Amino acid sequence: MNYKEIGNYLRNCYKKLVYDFMKSKEICQSYSDGMKQADIFRDCGMDWGDKANSTSSNQQYWTVAILRELEEENIIQRDNDTKKWRLK
């Protein structure tokens, strides 16, 4: 089993999950306010709840990376004032 390939596959699945989620939400459309990173993280089901040495807030780093990937691909954007994310 190639764990690196599986990890790459899972990363792509999570990225698709976040993008599909944002496409399905009115608040994430290009003309809307957008959503906070924490809300996207939780609403996509990525929160494991508070664990020892890994609070819910700390678990959001995956979502940060996913959102930044989508931003680099010019698919989504972050409002500099509100810090909310929306489709481009």
Side-chain angles (χ1 to χ4, degrees):
M1 181 180 297
N2 186 327
Y3 291 99
K4 194 167 190 171
E5 284 180 17
I6 294 169
N8 287 334
Y9 171 76
L10 291 173
R11 278 200 331 261
N12 286 326
C13 287
Y14 280 120
K15 189 165 87 170
K16 182 176 177 0
L17 172 76
V18 169
Y19 181 53
D20 288 347
F21 169 81
M22 291 180 74
K23 287 192 308 186
S24 75
K25 296 296 179 185
E26 187 72 25
I27 194 168
C28 292
Q29 301 310 303
S30 60
Y31 51 80
S32 293
D33 289 338
M35 281 184 83
K36 291 183 179 182
Q37 166 195 306
D39 294 330
I40 294 170
F41 164 73
R42 289 188 183 95
D43 288 353
C44 284
M46 291 189 243
D47 187 356
W48 291 72
D50 286 335
K51 304 290 180 194
N53 299 323
S54 181
T55 64
S56 175
S57 294
N58 291 345
Q59 296 169 25
Q60 292 182 50
Y61 290 119
W62 261 73
T63 307
V64 174
I66 291 166
L67 293 169
R68 291 298 182 182
E69 274 280 312
L70 292 169
E71 181 183 43
E72 287 173 8
E73 293 173 10
N74 210 27
I75 295 171
I76 66 171
Q77 61 188 353
R78 183 175 183 229
D79 184 279
N80 289 330
D81 296 326
T82 66
K83 310 297 188 220
K84 293 181 180 179
W85 293 91
R86 64 177 173 256
L87 299 174
K88 210 159 192 187

